[in-house]
Amino acid sequence: MNDHCSVMSEITAGTPYRLGAHFDGEGTNFALFSENASRVMLCLFSPDGKHELQRLALPERTGSVWHGHVAGLRPGALYGYRVEGTYAPDNGHRFNPNKLLIDPYTREFHGTFGEHGSTFGYQIGSQQGDLSFDESDSAPHVPKCVVSDPASFPLDAQTLGRGWDGTLIYEAHVKGTTILHPGVPEAMRGTYDGLASPAILDHLTRLGVTTVELLPVHAIKSEDALRARSMVNYWGYNTIGFFTPEPRYFGPAGILGFRAMVERFHAAGIEVILDVVYNHSAEGNHLGPTLSFRGLDNASYYRLMDGQRRYYVNDTGCGNTLNVDHPYVLRMIMDSLRFWVQAMGVDGFRFDLAVGLCRERHGFDSQGGFLDALRQDPVLAGVKLIAEPWDLGPGGYQLGKFPPPFAEWNDRYRDTVRRFWRGDGHSAQDLGSALLGSADLFDSAGRRTWSSVNFAAAHDGFTLADTTRYAKRHNEANGEGNHDGHHSNYSDNFGVEGDSDDPVIIEARRQRIRNILATVLLSQGTPMILAGDEGGNSQNGNNNVYCQDNETSWIDWQAMDGGLTEFTAAVSRFRREHAAVRQTSFLHGAVRESDGKPDVAWRDFDGSALNWRDPGLSSLCLLLRGCAESAVGDQSEDEVLLAFNRESRELELGLPDPGSRQWVREIDSSQNHQSPWPITDGSVRVAPHSVSAFVLRSFGAA
């Protein structure tokens, strides 16, 4: 047949136990789920993928799994499926054997998607729309699946196994982080190889990053609407292969570069978390193409509308919603998660639109099937799990409702911090909760402070710099009439929309960025920084760069503010060194047995109690007490005073009695460079619009 197969005409029963295509040393076993199909055809292709050489009916069906074994078929062989069954969209079935279908379990693709009407199961332009039936062959316009060499994906990868304490997340895009970095070798820019290059690793280590959270790296297909505008899905939230690394980011090492990247991160002590999109697929709504799941078994893979099964439930806003209620869809997700841990060494996952994965027939269920399966899985027991706690369906906002061991993206924290530093009324009260890990949301069921992932900017929305440059979004380049993206950005342009050459405005903006970064890094919970925010990276006011694979979305490393990066590294170091600002238990002012003092205390600058009822409250101090452990294991008291001055004037801060020790100011956001400043009397001046952090030290201590 070809170089990969000595016998092409014979297929035997094989086994149903491992879904996908698996070489066993003598041939390849194929197993595919389809509950409603009447026949499944395995299609084998020439090495260049251009010629279909043979179709073999999978000879056996065990339950809903079709399977067969082809002797002599070796790694590197190219294949796809054609599935026969009823074409009745009104009943939820869209089988069309004219469409070549991707194996959901394939590890590799050969070729790319083409723009062609044959990839649709219906006739484009027909008056019947998607109720019509298209007989054209889509095979020339879809990638082929590859029988993988088991040696390329051994299930022996190791995770770092770090706990949550001390975690600092850096949210990054593989290409956008590396493509313009002058220290990354040119052949590696935009690739997995480049992301783990010494230049990037050195930068992350300097910042104190412990965990890199990557925007989606599962194989995707860009939406046809974007391709028609000569754009692509840059972010990657449009998955078509849940076991396949996105080929756009292959570098010199090809597909093997992904695991090598993870291993280099691990060698540097940095975890890798993947942003995963199991809530929908790239096939879109009822007018989308037939590429995989739709043709394999539409009624099983997708949630369809009751009484109108031609249409899809669209709780994701992306046209369809995967039916996680179905055991084989749930199995696919679980198998995928285990693959990325065992074969690639991934340390955790951030679940996009996680509420959609947790919907039962009655709605969101924190004890539902997906969460039950996830939490009992021994392979996943030691990895980090983060939920984006919303989707677009009814009751879709569930912040704080996920069970342990999940952490959650806390968008309320983001809005609170932005509103406080912008000067909004009543925002200081919300900041009080945010600084202590949002206990009102997360302090239940034994959850820890790290459950709140605190961020002031993420990939979706303004960068931190743009919150200080733009009062409104500027998404015109996206081609959607500037109607896309968030409209509530809680931003402030300081009187000038966009760039300014006024040194007063420039410095005020830098000050705001430092304030926000300091707030994030000094809050209880898990801090997350958007890649580039540590140096003031801008996207020119575009708060939805999902389709901007260009200089708009790429980090401009040459323009990065070195002073701001130095400040970020200093506050990150302070966080590492002071356990009081990263305690894992929620603080409620409980009196400690060791010294009879409360674990946390709020106070005004003059030492009096705060007036939380004051709608104009704009300055507050927070005294934190914790226990620090030295390098040799000794325990010592760690006492930190945080002062937040939003006033436009200096404030006199009366310091608590230091006893036999001395207060030292270690963080002052009014300055780029941070150096310890011992306080010799009972008060100190705090600069306007600034954050200061003081620690108690013994006399003579560094």
Side-chain angles (χ1 to χ4, degrees), residues 342-524:
Q342 294 178 300
M344 299 298 194
V346 164
D347 301 280
F349 304 93
R350 180 264 189 190
F351 294 90
D352 178 64
L353 300 181
V355 170
L357 300 173
C358 306
R359 287 185 180 275
E360 305 286 323
R361 297 293 295 179
H362 55 277
F364 174 80
D365 188 343
S366 63
Q367 304 297 321
F370 170 71
L371 293 176
D372 286 347
L374 197 63
R375 289 182 292 165
Q376 63 78 42
D377 192 287
V379 172
L380 305 177
V383 304
K384 288 183 167 66
L385 304 174
I386 303 173
E388 183 181 44
W390 53 80
D391 69 4
L392 301 183
Y397 191 71
Q398 297 290 336
L399 178 63
K401 302 296 178 60
F402 280 74
F406 268 91
E408 301 177 36
W409 268 30
N410 189 347
D411 64 324
R412 196 180 78 173
Y413 178 96
R414 174 199 63 202
D415 296 346
T416 292
V417 172
R418 291 186 183 185
R419 289 177 59 246
F420 175 79
W421 287 112
R422 190 174 69 168
D424 292 11
H426 300 281
S427 56
Q429 290 80 355
D430 291 336
L431 183 68
S433 171
L435 290 170
L436 293 182
S438 302
D440 57 317
L441 292 171
F442 297 103
D443 189 10
S444 63
R447 301 185 78 180
R448 297 289 191 169
T449 56
W450 51 254
S451 302
S452 177
V453 176
N454 300 328
F455 63 100
H459 71 274
D460 187 3
F462 275 155
T463 66
L464 192 51
D466 284 353
T467 66
T468 72
R469 295 186 183 187
Y470 298 93
K472 300 179 180 179
R473 64 192 175 202
H474 293 272
N475 300 354
E476 291 83 1
N478 295 352
E480 300 178 33
N482 202 32
H483 296 303
D484 59 306
H486 295 298
H487 59 83
S488 296
N489 296 289
Y490 304 108
S491 58
D492 180 9
N493 66 11
F494 289 82
V496 176
E497 190 77 352
D499 291 340
S500 172
D501 56 6
D502 185 331
V504 175
I505 292 177
I506 292 172
E507 182 50 39
R509 289 173 171 176
R510 285 176 177 160
Q511 178 74 46
R512 178 72 59 82
I513 295 172
R514 289 194 296 265
N515 290 343
I516 293 176
L517 284 169
T519 304
V520 171
L521 289 168
L522 296 174
S523 296
Q524 307 292 324

Side-chain angles (χ1 to χ4, degrees), residues 12 48 52 104 142 276 307 402 471 518 604 652:
T12 55
D48 60 7
E52 185 176 341
V142 296
V276 287
F402 280 74
D604 209 335
E652 186 83 12

Side-chain angles (χ1 to χ4, degrees), residues 577-599:
E577 293 174 351
H578 295 284
V581 298
R582 52 175 175 80
Q583 301 184 58
T584 58
S585 296
F586 288 96
L587 306 176
H588 296 290
V591 175
R592 302 186 306 172
E593 294 183 2
S594 59
D595 57 10
K597 296 180 180 180
D599 55 17

Side-chain angles (χ1 to χ4, degrees), residues 1-5 21-23 27-28 30 44-49 53 72-79 106-110 144-153:
M1 177 177 72
N2 56 44
D3 294 338
H4 309 289
C5 180
H22 298 280
F23 178 66
T28 300
F30 295 88
L44 303 175
F45 286 83
S46 59
D48 60 7
L53 301 177
L73 195 69
R74 304 186 60 79
L78 306 184
Y79 73 100
T106 187
R107 271 68 165 158
E108 302 176 65
F109 286 153
H110 174 90
K144 311 306 179 289
C145 303
V146 181
V147 175
S148 295
D149 185 344
S152 297
F153 304 102

